[in-house]
Amino acid sequence: MGWMRRYHSHLGRDIVVTGGSARDLEPGQFGVLAIDGGAGGWSVVHKGPGGDVDELNNEMHFETPEEALAFAKELIGLLGG
């Protein structure tokens, strides 16, 4: 993950890049999660207000955290911030 920051904000929404699990996210946050430490790719998730976590990339995994972060920002833009 090298130079990538752990916390990001886009249009007022929080995005956390982590090798941990979605359980570490606060309700309302988006997450970019490492799969098998990043070896299996990266996934984009959202934790809802009730604590439910949804994977947003429909089982399509990204090779790098930067690609997954760009996808998360695109989704947030489509949601209207």
Side-chain angles (χ1 to χ4, degrees):
M1 209 159 62
W3 60 270
M4 175 145 286
R5 289 179 300 140
R6 180 175 160 94
Y7 298 101
H8 296 263
S9 183
H10 185 68
L11 301 175
R13 300 287 190 103
D14 293 333
I15 307 169
V16 179
V17 179
T18 181
S21 77
R23 289 187 301 265
D24 300 335
L25 300 175
E26 295 293 322
Q29 286 183 323
F30 288 82
V32 172
L33 306 178
I35 301 164
D36 295 330
W42 294 81
S43 180
V44 178
V45 300
H46 179 261
K47 188 170 192 174
D52 296 335
V53 176
D54 291 310
E55 187 173 354
L56 303 176
N57 47 299
N58 296 324
E59 299 182 21
M60 172 187 74
H61 297 137
F62 299 93
E63 276 190 41
T64 67
E66 292 86 359
E67 290 171 334
L69 181 62
F71 178 78
K73 288 180 176 181
E74 234 179 276
L75 281 178
I76 291 169
L78 291 172
L79 294 171

